[in-house]
Amino acid sequence: MSMPSEALQAPLNPLDPATSLHPTSPSPTTQNAHPQAIPLETDSAVTRAEKFERHPNAGVQESGEPSSKRIKLDVEPDIIASVPGERQKGVVSIKAEFLVNVQGARNDRRRTIVDDDAAEASPHFDQRDQADSRSGKRKKEKNRGQNKSRNFGSSRDERGLCQSRATYPEFSPAQCQYGENCKFEHDLRKYLKDWKREDLKTFEGECPLWALKGKCNSGFKCRFAGSHMREQETSDGKQELVLVEKEGHNRSTRNGESEENEVGIVNVISTQAKADLLKRKTLTPKADEYAAFLEKSGKELLERSEHSSSKDPVKDTDEKTNGNGLVQDIRAQYTEPPFLPSEKRRIYFGPETPVLAPLTTQGNLPFRRLCVAMGAQVTYSEMAMSMPLIQGQRSEWALMKAHESETRPPCYSGSPIVADYDNSRDSKFGAQIAGNKALQVLKATEVIHNLCPHLRVIDLNCGCPIDLVYRQGAGSALLDNQSKLEKILRGMNAVSGEIPITVKIRMGTRDGKPNAVKLINRLVYGGSEATELGGGASGVAAITLHGRSRQQRYTRSADWEYISDCAALIKRHNERGHELTDTNQEADARYQPAGGKVYFIGNGDCYSHADYSRHISEAKVDSVMVARGALIKPWIFEEIERGQYLDKSATERLAIIEQYVRYGLEAWGSDEMGVGTTRRFLLEWLSFACRYVPVGIMEHLPPNLQDRPPAWRGRNELETLLGSDNYLDWIKIRYVFLVTSGVDEG
């Protein structure tokens, strides 16, 4: 069976555009973690690369099996079944009345679980191939050639409406610039009758965008067009279809202009700015200046090393003890960086500021907006790659967009008092980037600073375990090249203006060989190279540590004891950074973050307010970053704020899903493309949300993120449906909001 041509074409490597990607070799530890997925134009560079790396021949699933990211437990089914009254390790304790087939668990189907390595570029394996090999059956050869009878479904209209007609009255004199060569429909009534899908009935048939701002940019293409169009009689007696605007709406923009700011979207980059980046017309003088500084300081360090190796040891020792000796001479020749981190805007992390982690694919604007509404105080964009950013790629710059709710100050109780901290100047949203070359990262940082005015911090990702990113020397690969990482962070501080720089790391790259303590020492005090040249600390304002190694992925629980050790190191630095035995490594205030305090955030397996409070009190971290816990239950931030478990009913959870759909339509549009995008991300989120087990049916608290439940039923049919791990049930939920007449629209 042939695949679509666009699926067979290897995308360019986002870290090295001169090369194409190649799929990874199969790995038995990550098999069956991913369904096949076709790369889309709207995907970011990393998302497209991940899809190709996993499935170079990505097409349509040929199996009727659920396409969720799941693997089988390697235990007998009766072990999975919960024993009432006892809490078993790795198993959620469910009250007996909600268990399904407890006595006949061995005859019941195995309970599948989600593999959380699924977001980390593992290859795809066909489960049927493995079953055939075990049973000894001969694999049936696939039919070759083109099968044109296949129907994949599509989120697009069969024949679209030309944009010259979409937002104008039916009898408008506006002409299509393509004339007779235009492939879209120009007859408005024919489009509405023959080509446009039936209007959605969600939100009582009212367009969310029209309800919010009084006008819908999609015009007649809107899937809620009936709520803002009508017929009116013209002067010659004809009936004309026109679009209706709400009274009192101020038309501050004209057709064709971006109106995203009207619906509360910030950090919107103009088309011209992206074109200038693509054509290399955008200058980055700070990045270029710092690159020259790095080159010169590198030569100074090399000369220092060569001079030391050629010196007589006795004479060299005498010079080091002399007040006008070699070290002082080298420091006198040291070239100062053009900008210092101590001049930056101050930020704050504390117990009242739970952090939403940067989430690949699912950390989109609507989901972040949903979490902020539920109490998230700090958010991050999805990880953006430096090279596509400085090339002006639309999909990558879309990750920088934020909702206006993310620009408001985070919660701050006023205790402890942070010197010179102005909460009114602070905000919630930060951008996260990654890269493998210092100059690329510096240029991306400077461009982001110039084009995105609403940023709290710029975070460097040094924890991404994706093979694609790691093999190119970015993400967690920087943990093994700490000197390079330190130089990148110093450079980011130099070019980011008043925006502070933060970094997210892991314990290390290999199991049993953590190096985060060594790295943190280097970041807060400065490495030996910088110290010898007279430099100070890297100037990072905050460090986030994920308590796992790259090799470990999600196979075991996060190591919070190690996180606690690192937190103690940071605390000692903040309390007495200048009281060091080696005065050559004395922390220079000029290179410290504003206020001299480095914040430390822990990350890993936070699934309840109890976990959050325990990590704050026992590990002594400033705050905790929540990732999968927020995907499974976004109201975890509400639980943290209230300090109690919230037993959300099925109706309340369905209302949260409805709110997400509304946010998605407002962000991506209410036409057929916006609805399709919202539908796709909704299903992605439901693949995580289905893992939530209501606290009202659990025997033991607190819940553990690593525990998996036996087969259970909810307190009503809707709760059972929301807890189903079958993708067909997720589609049923999607039907409620984004499908008309029970017809799947792709």
Side-chain angles (χ1 to χ4, degrees):
M1 184 177 296
S2 63
M3 297 299 173
S5 59
E6 64 268 23
L8 299 176
Q9 183 178 1
L12 295 179
N13 191 326
L15 293 172
D16 187 6
T19 62
S20 298
L21 295 175
H22 300 282
T24 56
S25 57
S27 170
T29 61
T30 56
Q31 64 184 21
N32 298 325
H34 277 287
Q36 292 182 350
I38 298 176
L40 304 175
E41 292 182 359
T42 55
D43 289 338
S44 67
V46 173
T47 302
R48 288 197 302 270
E50 281 185 294
K51 288 180 178 180
F52 176 79
E53 186 180 46
R54 296 191 297 263
H55 320 297
N57 296 323
V60 171
Q61 290 276 25
E62 300 178 30
S63 171
E65 294 294 324
S67 59
S68 60
K69 304 179 282 290
R70 48 183 88 188
I71 58 175
K72 298 280 187 177
L73 285 175
D74 296 327
V75 295
E76 292 298 323
D78 58 331
I79 298 179
I80 304 174
S82 177
V83 179
E86 298 180 7
R87 182 161 192 174
Q88 303 178 44
K89 184 177 180 180
V91 180
V92 179
S93 298
I94 305 293
K95 294 179 180 177
E97 58 268 30
F98 299 105
L99 291 173
V100 177
N101 295 330
V102 177
Q103 300 299 326
R106 185 174 292 276
N107 296 324
D108 193 16
R109 68 177 181 86
R110 295 189 183 188
R111 180 75 173 180
T112 57
I113 66 171
V114 176
D115 179 14
D116 288 316
D117 288 341
E120 299 178 359
S122 54
H124 174 71
F125 287 79
D126 194 329
Q127 296 181 5
R128 297 168 300 165
D129 294 345
Q130 296 177 350
D132 291 343
S133 63
R134 287 194 299 266
S135 61
K137 294 181 180 179
R138 183 178 180 182
K139 181 181 177 181
K140 183 180 178 180
E141 293 185 3
K142 294 182 179 179
N143 295 326
R144 298 182 179 277
Q146 206 172 26
N147 182 3
K148 296 184 178 181
S149 64
R150 294 177 298 175
N151 182 15
F152 298 114
S154 173
S155 60
R156 298 174 182 265
D157 291 330
E158 186 175 351
R159 183 177 175 88
L161 180 65
C162 179
Q163 193 60 35
S164 66
R165 296 289 181 268
T167 57
Y168 295 89
E170 181 181 6
F171 301 145
S172 170
Q175 297 296 319
C176 175
Q177 60 177 328
Y178 299 103
E180 296 180 355
N181 295 325
C182 182
K183 62 181 180 179
F184 295 103
E185 182 64 64
H186 290 80
D187 187 331
L188 179 58
R189 291 185 183 270
K190 181 176 177 59
Y191 166 76
L192 294 175
K193 179 182 178 182
D194 297 339
W195 307 122
K196 186 177 182 293
R197 293 186 173 98
E198 180 184 350
D199 277 3
L200 296 173
K201 306 303 180 184
T202 317
F203 314 123
E204 299 180 352
E206 184 179 57
C207 173
L209 286 171
W210 186 80
L212 178 67
K213 63 175 185 174
K215 180 184 177 182
C216 176
N217 297 339
S218 300
F220 292 107
K221 295 194 295 183
C222 175
R223 295 297 302 277
F224 302 87
S227 65
H228 50 71
M229 77 174 187
R230 63 181 176 87
E231 278 189 332
Q232 68 178 18
E233 187 173 347
T234 62
S235 58
D236 56 358
K238 295 182 179 179
Q239 295 295 318
E240 181 183 28
L241 289 172
V242 297
L243 296 170
V244 180
E245 294 184 9
K246 273 190 173 182
E247 295 182 3
H249 173 62
N250 181 20
R251 294 192 62 181
S252 58
T253 58
R254 297 283 184 256
N255 288 317
E257 295 180 357
S258 174
E259 299 190 13
E260 290 176 297
N261 285 324
E262 289 192 33
V263 294
I265 307 297
V266 299
N267 294 338
V268 180
I269 313 303
S270 67
T271 303
Q272 184 59 48
K274 297 172 189 173
D276 290 343
L277 285 168
L278 180 61
K279 297 175 182 178
R280 299 184 181 181
K281 292 183 178 180
T282 303
L283 301 179
T284 53
K286 293 182 180 179
D288 295 336
E289 184 178 356
Y290 199 87
F293 159 74
L294 284 179
E295 183 178 359
K296 184 175 181 180
S297 62
K299 291 180 179 178
E300 292 175 355
L301 183 61
L302 180 61
E303 291 175 0
R304 163 75 173 90
S305 176
E306 292 176 349
H307 186 71
S308 298
S309 61
S310 62
K311 290 286 292 182
D312 180 65
V314 177
K315 185 177 180 181
D316 186 52
T317 303
D318 294 338
E319 287 190 356
K320 286 184 178 182
T321 58
N322 189 339
N324 297 320
L326 181 61
V327 174
Q328 285 74 16
D329 291 341
I330 292 296
R331 291 191 176 187
Q333 298 171 6
Y334 174 66
T335 305
E336 285 283 353
F339 310 96
L340 296 173
S342 58
E343 304 167 358
K344 296 182 178 296
R345 182 181 64 241
R346 300 196 177 186
I347 58 175
Y348 171 75
F349 287 96
E352 66 270 43
T353 59
V355 182
L356 175 65
L359 303 166
T360 301
T361 304
Q362 198 52 53
N364 48 64
L365 187 150
F367 184 76
R368 297 198 312 267
R369 182 181 175 186
L370 181 68
C371 290
V372 168
M374 301 225 168
Q377 297 300 316
V378 179
T379 62
Y380 288 94
S381 71
E382 299 178 55
M383 182 183 71
M385 301 306 299
S386 298
M387 179 56 77
L389 285 173
I390 60 181
Q391 290 177 335
Q393 289 191 15
R394 179 181 178 183
S395 59
E396 215 70 12
W397 279 105
L399 303 180
M400 298 294 108
K401 294 180 182 179
H403 187 257
E404 61 181 359
S405 62
E406 297 179 89
T407 66
R408 300 180 185 127
C411 182
Y412 175 54
S413 62
S415 178
I417 298 175
V418 180
D420 298 329
Y421 171 66
D422 187 354
N423 183 252
S424 63
R425 295 184 61 204
D426 205 352
S427 62
K428 295 183 174 70
F429 178 71
Q432 187 185 70
I433 63 175
N436 62 341
K437 296 180 180 179
L439 184 58
Q440 291 178 5
V441 177
L442 300 191
K443 284 180 175 289
T445 302
E446 183 173 357
V447 172
I448 290 173
H449 164 257
N450 294 335
L451 298 180
C452 299
H454 299 280
L455 286 179
R456 183 178 203 249
V457 299
I458 299 177
D459 185 78
L460 180 64
N461 184 302
C462 300
C464 179
I466 297 174
D467 290 337
L468 162 72
V469 178
Y470 179 80
R471 290 197 307 266
Q472 298 295 330
S476 55
L478 290 173
L479 300 177
D480 292 332
N481 196 342
Q482 297 184 0
S483 176
K484 178 180 179 181
L485 171 57
E486 184 185 3
K487 289 179 181 178
I488 292 177
L489 290 172
R490 289 177 183 277
M492 292 175 68
N493 263 310
V495 303
S496 63
E498 68 169 3
I499 302 177
I501 298 300
T502 61
V503 61
K504 186 173 186 289
I505 64 176
R506 283 182 178 248
M507 291 171 53
T509 57
R510 292 171 291 177
D511 277 349
K513 296 183 178 180
N515 62 354
V517 170
K518 179 181 177 181
L519 175 59
I520 291 173
N521 260 313
R522 187 183 191 105
L523 295 182
V524 298
Y525 295 126
S528 58
E529 301 92 338
T531 304
E532 289 183 9
L533 291 175
S538 64
V540 292
I543 299 173
T544 302
L545 174 61
H546 186 177
R548 292 182 173 90
S549 67
R550 175 188 181 270
Q551 184 181 2
Q552 177 185 346
R553 301 289 178 99
Y554 292 95
T555 55
R556 295 186 300 277
S557 298
D559 189 346
W560 275 92
E561 290 186 6
Y562 189 85
I563 295 177
S564 179
D565 293 340
C566 295
L569 174 64
I570 295 287
K571 185 177 180 180
R572 288 195 299 270
H573 161 73
N574 291 333
E575 290 178 348
R576 53 181 183 84
H578 61 284
E579 298 177 7
L580 298 174
T581 303
D582 185 359
T583 56
N584 287 337
Q585 290 187 350
E586 180 177 350
D588 190 332
R590 298 175 303 164
Y591 299 94
Q592 294 296 312
K597 178 179 175 63
V598 179
Y599 290 98
F600 187 70
I601 299 96
N603 174 219
D605 297 344
C606 183
Y607 191 39
S608 67
H609 75 280
D611 292 337
Y612 186 88
S613 300
R614 184 174 67 255
H615 297 330
I616 293 290
S617 60
E618 296 180 3
K620 305 298 182 182
V621 294
D622 292 302
S623 186
V624 177
M625 180 176 282
V626 186
R628 290 178 297 162
L631 288 173
I632 297 172
K633 56 172 189 180
W635 58 91
I636 185 176
F637 300 105
E638 191 177 352
E639 290 186 348
I640 292 171
E641 183 179 358
R642 296 188 182 186
Q644 64 182 31
Y645 294 103
L646 297 178
D647 187 9
K648 295 282 186 180
S649 67
T651 304
E652 290 176 305
R653 292 167 61 194
L654 192 65
I656 293 174
I657 296 175
E658 179 181 354
Q659 192 65 35
Y660 176 80
V661 172
R662 181 184 291 273
Y663 290 161
L665 294 175
E666 291 179 6
W668 295 311
S670 55
D671 61 351
E672 72 279 3
M673 288 297 294
V675 170
T677 302
T678 302
R679 181 187 298 120
R680 180 164 61 95
F681 283 110
L682 173 62
L683 290 177
E684 177 78 18
W685 176 37
L686 291 177
S687 70
F688 286 93
C690 69
R691 295 167 56 179
Y692 173 70
V693 179
V695 295
I697 72 172
M698 297 176 61
E699 280 195 320
H700 301 286
L701 295 174
N704 190 318
L705 189 57
Q706 299 294 87
D707 290 353
R708 298 295 181 261
W712 59 275
R713 60 172 176 268
R715 291 164 289 192
N716 52 53
E717 291 185 4
L718 179 57
E719 192 168 72
T720 303
L721 179 67
L722 291 173
S724 172
D725 61 354
N726 191 326
Y727 79 103
L728 296 175
D729 290 327
W730 308 340
I731 294 177
K732 290 180 183 177
I733 299 172
R734 185 189 74 176
Y735 282 159
V736 176
F737 303 107
L738 297 173
V739 178
T740 58
S741 305
V743 178
D744 193 357
E745 302 175 1

